[in-house]
């Protein structure tokens, strides 16, 4: 791993140094595990006390959090330690796996596919008919891209991903391992004779916006009609399910194991906590925050914070929990 001077790190994060300005930093680490020669981070007052016993040589701290600089150590004060951490991690990030050839000999690329300049396609990939891939796209080994799919410039697709036909992916997206894009939506109806289920054909597609990141093992199903849409800048964690015809606005966040049923609509900036589920045809306005493990069955206006099962506004949920605790003690 690379090493940087404390002055170089301070310049990277636009911070002000206090204390030892001659340190060489070998890498970043969380505050409980940091060793001498490493830098750590404090972005909240509740972690400030950990600095007293930390072995880290330096700390990057949000302005206004009061900590002292002991002998031989350094403090770098910044406006936002969490954002500064991202910049420091970029400094120390190891190189991504490299491609020995632009298109591996074992990759199967249909003659009708269009591949832009600077693309890399790894071993055992399959690129189907009429696929259009923009410039500087990296597709790691064992990825399948079916017919009539479009992939924008600068996108990275990691191994094991399967992209079904007619999917549209924007520029500078990151799609992690084993993602499924464009599989059939989950649609069945009882058969007329009562002896089984009739499969509902889904003829739409999936449209992924620009600068979207999709975590490993996430599934986004294609629409019954038109498109399942993930808006620009959305960040989706691992093991997330997005059902057919759902529409996510810009810069939404979905944490791990959360899910959208069919035809859910999320406004811009909606945050869905881990394990939360949104029922079909529900609409959440801009900036709604859904607490982890919640079950949402009703629409909510912009800016609401909701919790519980079924989900209600957070203040109401907390009142309900207080009442339930009192009832439990009285019983």
């Amino acid at each position: 791993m690379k090493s940087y001077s404390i002055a170089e790190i301070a310049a990277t994060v636009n911070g002000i140094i206090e204390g030892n300005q001659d340190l060489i930093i070998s890498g970043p680490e969380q505050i409980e595990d940091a060793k001498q020669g490493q830098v750590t981070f404090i972005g909240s007052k509740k972690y400030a006390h950990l600095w007293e016993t930390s072995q880290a040589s330096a700390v990057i701290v949000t302005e206004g959090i009061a900590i002292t600089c002991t002998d031989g150590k350094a403090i770098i004060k910044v406006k936002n330690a969490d954002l500064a951490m991202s910049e420091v991690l970029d400094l120390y990030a190891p190189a991504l796996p490299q491609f020995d050839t632009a298109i591996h000999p074992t990759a199967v690329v249909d003659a009708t596919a269009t591949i832009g300049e600077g693309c890399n396609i790894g071993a055992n990939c399959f690129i189907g008919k009429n696929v259009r891939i923009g410039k500087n796209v990296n597709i790691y080994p064992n990825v399948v891209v079916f017919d009539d799919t479009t992939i924008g410039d600068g996108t990275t697709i990691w191994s094991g991903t399967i992209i079904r036909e007619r999917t549209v992916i924007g520029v500078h997206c990151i799609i992690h391992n084993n993602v499924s894009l464009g599989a059939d939506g989950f649609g069945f109806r009882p058969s007329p004779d009562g002896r089984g289920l009739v499969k509902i054909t889904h003829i739409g597609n999936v449209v992924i916006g620009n600068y979207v990141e999709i975590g490993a093992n996430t599934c986004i199903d294609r629409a019954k009609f038109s498109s399942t849409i993930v808006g620009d800048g959305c960040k989706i964690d691992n093991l997330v399910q997005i059902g057919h015809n759902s529409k996510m606005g810009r810069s939404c966040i979905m944490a791990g194991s959360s899910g959208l049923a069919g035809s859910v609509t999320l406004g811009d900036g909606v945050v869905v906590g881990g394990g939360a589920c949104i029922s079909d045809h529900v609409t959440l306005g801009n900036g709604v925050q859904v607490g982890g493990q919640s079950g949402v069955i009703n629409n909510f206006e912009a800016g609401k914070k909701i919790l519980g099962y079924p989900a209600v506004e957070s203040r109401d949920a907390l009142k309900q929990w207080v009442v339930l605790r009192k009832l439990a003690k009285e019983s």
Side-chain angles (χ1 to χ4, degrees), residues 54-205:
S54 177
Q55 297 181 45
S57 293
V59 60
I60 296 174
V61 61
T62 298
E63 293 173 356
I65 297 176
I67 59 174
T68 57
C69 189
T70 56
D71 291 344
K73 294 191 175 185
I75 295 173
I76 301 175
K77 293 186 176 181
V78 296
K79 291 184 178 180
N80 187 314
D82 291 331
L83 294 178
M85 177 173 59
S86 176
E87 294 175 315
V88 173
L89 290 170
D90 285 342
L91 277 181
Y92 287 95
L96 295 175
Q98 299 299 302
F99 292 86
D100 293 330
T101 58
I103 300 179
H104 195 275
T106 61
V108 176
V109 180
D110 192 89
T112 62
T114 302
I115 312 296
E117 296 178 0
C119 289
N120 294 297
I121 300 175
N124 301 314
C125 288
F126 172 82
I127 310 297
K129 291 180 174 60
N130 301 314
V131 170
R132 292 177 291 168
I133 299 175
K135 298 178 182 178
N136 302 313
V137 173
N138 288 322
I139 301 178
Y140 282 92
N142 302 310
V143 169
V144 175
V145 182
F146 282 103
D147 302 358
D148 301 306
T149 289
T150 300
I151 301 172
D153 296 350
T155 286
T156 297
I157 302 172
W158 286 93
S159 296
T161 291
I162 297 178
I163 301 171
R164 290 285 299 273
E165 56 274 19
R166 305 185 305 281
T167 298
V168 177
I169 300 171
V171 303
H172 299 287
C173 294
I174 302 173
I175 300 174
H176 289 281
N177 299 6
N178 301 315
V179 166
S180 170
L181 298 179
D184 286 357
F186 189 70
F188 299 89
R189 295 293 183 273
S191 61
D193 60 9
R195 296 183 177 180
L197 296 171
V198 176
K199 180 177 175 61
I200 306 299
T201 300
H202 287 65
I203 63 173
N205 72 338

Side-chain angles (χ1 to χ4, degrees), residues 178-288:
N178 301 315
V179 166
S180 170
L181 298 179
D184 286 357
F186 189 70
F188 299 89
R189 295 293 183 273
S191 61
D193 60 9
R195 296 183 177 180
L197 296 171
V198 176
K199 180 177 175 61
I200 306 299
T201 300
H202 287 65
I203 63 173
N205 72 338
V206 170
V207 176
I208 306 295
N210 302 319
Y211 297 93
V212 172
E213 185 160 354
I214 301 173
N217 299 296
T218 284
C219 298
I220 303 177
D221 293 342
R222 69 182 175 210
K224 187 185 300 179
F225 317 104
S226 63
S227 300
T228 303
I229 297 174
V230 177
D232 292 349
C234 288
K235 309 300 178 185
I236 299 170
D237 201 355
N238 303 332
L239 296 166
V240 170
Q241 163 67 23
I242 297 176
H244 61 88
N245 286 96
S246 288
K247 293 177 172 56
M248 298 174 64
R250 297 172 298 172
S251 300
C252 295
I253 294 173
M254 293 188 65
S257 300
S258 60
L260 307 181
S263 300
V264 172
T265 300
L266 304 184
D268 296 340
V270 173
V271 177
V272 180
C277 297
I278 319 297
S279 187
D280 57 291
H281 297 275
V282 163
T283 296
L284 302 181
N286 295 345
V288 168

